[in-house]
């Protein structure tokens, strides 16, 4: 259903959720900006992840490591050597592609239809820059291609300062950069994106059990946030596609309209690969001493890793509906709806004065001021009430609160529910309580 992607991309742009970066200069294909509603959605996705992965657990702590780390990190992690994709160039139009993306036999250039390509060469996906004021002789450094390495190099410091015992995890949300050969499909594959990763350190021998546990936890996170189970599946990596550090990886895949099934999140058993590699390269002891059994070992690591942007794309696609809705005149009309989980909705309630009448405005402002300290709210007084409901439906606002002339007498407002479109009259005095129960 490719036009579903067009509809979502167009809605995202039209409503200031996500749109191309640097657009006045023609954009930059792989970079996207989040507008006013997009930043709220993004914050809500990150908050939901942090709440589930850190706040509600007593065995996971947080970290915010630097994006530019010592270049030795990438030597030790193996990224300098093996974080590559096979790149080929079309001999006719000189466009470059990932060799494994080319379809057909003989392979065909998607741009010009030609069949001859250069030999594949390994292209490192890390962005490189220089540290220091003089380019010549300055140290080459890299923008991190994953947040994970922060958790490995800080493992001993975090474990000791937070006095955690294995099993425990370190979680981080932050930007990652990959010079992808073929970015695309809106915010599915970007060159600058955000990751939410957690490294869970466990005793060797318990790793397989913990791996299964985290696969189920992570799947549940998506369904708890409203993603339809039928659109999710687990896929085991074949031996030949495992990353260099992984013993077993299972992807949570989503039924994306452009690929059918595509990777949403990876949950890997990274073994003790990273801690041992950093110990070898840094000379620092990265073992863990278990005070109860008096054993010393390198913990194994289970890693659930998901892209913030890819999760947002999933929530948008899954929540997008076009329905026939009844009109006030007894007919029907199309309504576009983002049936986002209330925790993710950018705006929780919109206050709508029936008109811009000067008697109504102070009452509506009062209601807006009452709700603002509790939730992200919107105040919209432009256009007919029906149009304003549609505008809020389209961006997933769970509740609209209408202030009308009766409000001036009965001190009550009408609350409209986004999904059922039912309306209820509620006293202003109990409005916060009423919404709190539902949000
Ligand atoms: N630390 C492990 C790691 O980074 P990965 O499978 O390469 O594993 C984890 O990335 C997740 O990050 C992916 O499942 C995806 O959600 C997201 N991701 C990876 N590359 C991305 C890109 N170029 N654009 C957007 N999201 C990306």
């Amino acid at each position: 259903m490719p036009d579903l992607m067009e509809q979502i991309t167009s809605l995202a742009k039209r409503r200031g959720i996500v749109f191309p970066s640097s657009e006045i200069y023609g954009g930059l294909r792989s970079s996207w900006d989040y507008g006013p509603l997009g930043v709220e959605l993004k914050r809500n996705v990150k908050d939901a992840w942090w709440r589930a992965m850190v706040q509600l657990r007593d065995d996971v702590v947080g970290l915010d490591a630097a994006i530019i780390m010592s270049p030795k990190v990438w030597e030790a992690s193996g990224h300098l050597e093996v974080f590559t994709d096979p790149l080929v160039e079309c001999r006719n139009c000189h466009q470059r592609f990932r060799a494994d993306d080319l379809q057909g036999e003989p392979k065909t250039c998607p741009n010009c239809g030609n069949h001859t390509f250069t030999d594949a060469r390994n292209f490192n996906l890390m962005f490189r820059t220089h540290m220091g004021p003089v380019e010549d002789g300055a140290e080459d450094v890299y923008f991190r291609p994953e947040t994970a390495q922060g958790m490995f190099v800080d493992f001993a410091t975090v474990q000791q300062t937070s006095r955690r015992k294995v099993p425990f995890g370190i979680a981080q949300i932050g930007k990652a950069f990959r010079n992808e050969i073929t970015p695309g499909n809106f915010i599915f594959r970007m060159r600058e994106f955000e990751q939410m990763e957690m490294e869970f350190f466990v005793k060797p021998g318990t790793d397989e059990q913990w791996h299964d546990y985290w696969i189920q936890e992570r799947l549940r996170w998506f369904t708890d946030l409203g993603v339809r189970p039928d659109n999710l599946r687990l896929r085991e990596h074949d031996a030949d596609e495992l990353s260099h550090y992984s013993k077993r990886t299972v992807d949570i895949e989503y039924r994306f309209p452009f690929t059918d099934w595509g990777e949403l999140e990876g949950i890997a058993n990274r073994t003790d690969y990273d801690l041992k590699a950093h110990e070898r390269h840094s000379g620092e002891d990265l073992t863990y001493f278990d005070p109860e059994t008096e054993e010393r070992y390198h913990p194994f690591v289970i890693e659930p890793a998901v892209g913030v942007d890819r999760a947002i794309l999933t929530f948008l696609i899954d929540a997008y509906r076009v329905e026939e809705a009844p009109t006030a005149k007894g007919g029907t009309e199309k309504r576009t709806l983002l049936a986002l989980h209330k925790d993710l909705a950018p705006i929780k309630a919109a206050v709508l004065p029936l008109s811009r009448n000067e008697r109504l405005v102070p009452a509506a402002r009062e209601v807006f001021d009452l709700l603002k300290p509790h939730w992200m709210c919107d105040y919209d007084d432009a256009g007919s009430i029906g149009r304003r409901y549609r505008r809020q439906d389209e961006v997933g606002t769970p509740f609209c609160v209408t202030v009308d002339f009766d409000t001036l007498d009965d001190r009550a407002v009408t609350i409209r529910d986004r999904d059922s479109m039912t309306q209820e009259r509620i006293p202003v005095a109990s409005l916060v309580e009423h919404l709190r129960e539902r949000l």
Side-chain angles (χ1 to χ4, degrees):
M1 231 202 301
D3 66 312
L4 173 62
M5 281 305 288
E6 273 169 42
Q7 287 171 37
I8 288 171
T9 313
S10 140
L11 169 68
K13 177 163 183 203
R14 184 159 37 84
R15 298 306 309 272
I17 301 172
V18 190
F19 40 83
S21 162
S22 326
E23 219 182 356
I24 61 166
Y25 291 104
L28 189 64
R29 195 157 69 98
S30 55
S31 294
W32 297 86
D33 293 347
Y34 286 79
L37 293 173
V39 280
E40 297 303 330
L41 175 59
K42 199 181 205 191
R43 276 168 50 125
N44 294 341
V45 168
K46 292 196 276 187
D47 284 352
W49 187 87
W50 198 262
R51 188 176 152 76
M53 300 296 280
V54 183
Q55 188 184 336
L56 294 179
R57 303 190 63 101
D58 53 13
D59 56 359
V60 180
V61 292
L63 179 71
D64 186 6
I67 288 175
I68 299 178
M69 306 173 76
S70 163
K72 291 184 186 137
V73 168
W74 309 112
E75 211 178 298
S77 69
H79 282 82
L80 267 175
E81 202 184 328
V82 297
F83 193 58
T84 55
D85 273 345
L87 173 117
V88 291
E89 187 176 311
C90 170
R91 288 198 187 276
N92 180 47
C93 68
H94 303 291
Q95 283 246 4
R96 290 169 177 180
F97 304 96
R98 263 174 72 154
D100 45 9
D101 276 352
L102 291 177
Q103 306 292 322
E105 206 46 67
K107 304 279 183 231
T108 308
C109 173
N111 188 45
C112 70
N114 175 55
H115 298 299
T116 50
F117 298 92
T118 56
D119 288 340
R121 68 181 170 89
N122 283 334
F123 171 74
N124 195 295
L125 299 181
M126 282 199 293
F127 276 100
R128 190 169 52 182
T129 187
H130 313 283
M131 183 89 122
V134 192
E135 272 195 25
D136 279 357
E139 194 174 24
D140 275 350
V141 290
Y142 301 87
F143 283 23
R144 66 181 176 198
E146 61 170 13
T147 59
Q149 294 303 321
M151 281 80 105
F152 299 127
V153 301
D154 290 344
F155 165 72
T157 309
V158 173
Q159 187 268 319
Q160 284 152 23
T161 53
S162 66
R163 295 185 296 121
R164 297 290 144 160
K165 291 198 177 119
V166 168
F168 81 99
I170 309 178
Q172 174 165 213
I173 301 179
K175 287 257 168 152
F177 302 82
R178 296 183 189 178
N179 203 355
E180 299 280 1
I181 299 168
T182 43
N185 288 320
F186 190 29
I187 51 173
F188 180 81
R189 181 165 289 116
M190 306 152 91
R191 294 196 171 118
E192 173 183 342
F193 58 101
E194 255 183 293
Q195 285 189 315
M196 306 187 281
E197 298 198 289
M198 196 272 290
E199 310 302 319
F200 199 74
F201 299 90
V202 305
K203 187 172 178 183
T206 65
D207 51 305
E208 291 178 9
Q209 225 174 319
W210 276 110
H211 195 190
D212 289 334
Y213 167 84
W214 279 111
I215 293 165
Q216 293 310 322
E217 280 297 292
R218 294 302 307 145
L219 194 57
R220 195 159 59 84
W221 186 76
F222 287 104
T223 53
D224 281 354
L225 286 171
V227 178
R228 284 171 277 192
D230 287 356
N231 288 339
L232 293 166
R233 72 170 190 190
L234 297 173
R235 189 183 70 82
E236 194 84 34
H237 278 213
D238 292 334
D240 61 355
E241 63 174 319
L242 284 175
S243 304
H244 59 283
Y245 49 71
S246 173
K247 164 175 161 185
R248 179 185 173 220
T249 296
V250 173
D251 282 348
I252 298 178
E253 292 192 329
Y254 182 75
R255 206 194 287 269
F256 289 104
F258 46 85
T259 59
D260 202 6
W261 293 100
E263 176 185 341
L264 166 58
E265 166 156 356
I267 302 138
N269 182 343
R270 287 183 83 130
T271 69
D272 51 7
Y273 180 92
D274 301 270
L275 288 179
K276 279 188 171 162
H278 286 302
E279 183 171 276
R280 259 194 327 274
H281 282 75
S282 67
E284 294 288 325
D285 179 4
L286 294 179
T287 53
Y288 169 75
F289 179 72
D290 185 332
E292 271 152 36
T293 61
E294 303 203 327
E295 286 171 283
R296 185 172 282 286
Y297 56 84
H298 291 95
F300 269 41
V301 175
I302 307 302
E303 174 196 70
V306 61
V308 176
D309 315 87
R310 206 172 281 187
I312 289 175
L313 179 60
T314 301
F315 291 125
L316 286 175
I317 294 172
D318 214 71
Y320 184 84
R321 326 257 143 101
V322 180
E323 299 178 346
E324 285 296 328
T327 61
K329 291 183 184 144
T332 61
E333 64 176 6
K334 284 218 175 335
R335 80 158 177 157
T336 304
L337 174 70
L338 271 189
L340 288 168
H341 188 280
K342 58 186 173 24
D343 290 355
L344 302 182
I347 304 291
K348 308 296 183 206
V351 177
L352 317 176
L354 193 62
S355 73
R356 287 180 178 156
N357 179 289
E358 61 185 23
R359 288 172 55 224
L360 278 187
V361 171
R365 283 275 160 201
E366 198 185 309
V367 171
F368 185 49
D369 290 343
L370 182 73
L371 301 183
K372 256 190 327 193
H374 304 280
W375 303 284
M376 272 310 294
C377 295
D378 189 16
Y379 183 91
D380 185 4
D381 61 5
S384 74
I385 274 288
R387 290 261 308 269
R388 283 183 269 165
Y389 283 156
R390 298 287 170 269
R391 269 208 293 271
Q392 296 298 334
D393 288 345
E394 203 178 50
V395 296
T397 307
F399 297 105
C400 287
V401 178
T402 306
V403 176
D404 55 26
F405 287 102
D406 290 341
T407 308
L408 304 177
D409 299 325
D410 66 2
R411 300 291 299 157
V413 287
T414 302
I415 298 191
R416 172 191 178 267
D417 179 278
R418 176 195 71 196
D419 299 327
S420 64
M421 293 188 284
T422 52
Q423 304 195 2
E424 232 180 318
R425 195 87 185 150
I426 301 289
V428 174
S430 53
L431 184 59
V432 169
E433 204 44 47
H434 181 91
L435 288 178
R436 184 170 286 131
E437 278 166 21
R438 284 154 187 80
L439 286 165

